[in-house]
Amino acid sequence: LAKAAATTLIRLLAEVGGSVDDIARHLHHQLFQSLAAEQFVTLFLGELDPATGHLSYVNAGHEPPLLLRADRSVETLNTSGFPMALLEKFEFQVDEAVVSPGDLLLLMSDGIPEATVDGETFLGEDAVRQIMLDHATDSLPEIRTQILNSVDQFLHGEATSDDVTLLLLRRAA
């Protein structure tokens, strides 16, 4: 229910328009009013200017995005906020980054780095970073396949304990 409500609200608010901060505030307010007290939503909400690569974003309790630079350095973008609808009043911080030509941005749900069979050993962010580095010049579908295959191999065929969502974006050089 929380995921469906958030998706519908994001689509509506995106059509109305406004800054990332405004959309985050409205989304949070509506979700807080709509969801049960124990429900909340983690999400990454961003706006990328394709001409300049300027990215404005709010990270509401979601896994920190990884940014693989063209020079093969990897940056972890800020995770600056609480999940949506967790607290009634909360100001979201808008963070900024520049996705330069040739850079690869990776957004993932916690089901990837927190993949575990025993609840004690996790795949981890470092494994995802290494895949990004090892496959930096591969196509986005190939990188996606490598990451999802690593999750499957790590779990030895067991089902994931959380959702596995992955978004990759490469800015054209």
Side-chain angles (χ1 to χ4, degrees):
L1 176 63
K3 183 178 178 180
T7 302
T8 301
L9 284 168
I10 290 169
R11 286 184 180 147
L12 289 170
L13 289 169
E15 285 182 23
V16 171
S19 68
V20 170
D21 187 40
D22 287 341
I23 293 172
R25 261 196 333 275
H26 290 302
L27 179 61
H28 172 74
H29 176 75
Q30 291 300 317
L31 289 172
F32 189 83
Q33 299 299 318
S34 303
L35 299 179
E38 68 277 359
Q39 291 182 308
F40 60 88
V41 175
T42 67
L43 66 86
F44 178 92
L45 180 67
E47 180 177 30
L48 177 68
D49 180 337
T52 65
H54 181 262
L55 175 67
S56 297
Y57 67 92
V58 168
N59 192 337
H62 205 61
E63 285 296 312
L66 300 176
L67 183 58
L68 174 62
R69 298 289 186 184
D71 69 3
R72 298 183 54 83
S73 62
V74 181
E75 296 176 22
T76 302
L77 299 186
N78 288 339
T79 301
S80 55
F82 286 99
M84 297 269 171
L86 188 62
L87 304 170
E88 182 175 6
K89 300 217 184 275
F90 184 76
E91 291 296 318
F92 292 95
Q93 176 180 327
V94 176
D95 290 301
E96 297 180 348
V98 174
V99 181
S100 299
D103 289 354
L104 172 67
L105 178 65
L106 180 144
L107 297 145
M108 63 184 157
S109 63
D110 56 359
I112 294 175
E114 294 177 7
T116 184
V117 174
D118 59 10
E120 295 179 18
T121 307
F122 301 92
L123 178 65
E125 183 182 300
D126 288 342
V128 177
R129 283 174 177 262
Q130 192 59 54
I131 293 167
M132 288 176 72
L133 287 167
D134 291 347
H135 299 276
T137 59
D138 291 356
S139 70
L140 298 182
E142 290 169 336
I143 296 169
R144 175 189 175 277
T145 297
Q146 290 296 323
I147 292 170
L148 296 180
N149 284 346
S150 71
V151 171
D152 289 340
Q153 290 171 1
F154 186 80
L155 294 174
H156 307 291
E158 297 289 324
T160 59
S161 60
D162 206 341
D163 68 297
V164 172
T165 303
L166 179 64
L167 178 113
L168 298 163
L169 177 138
R170 180 178 284 137
R171 184 158 178 227

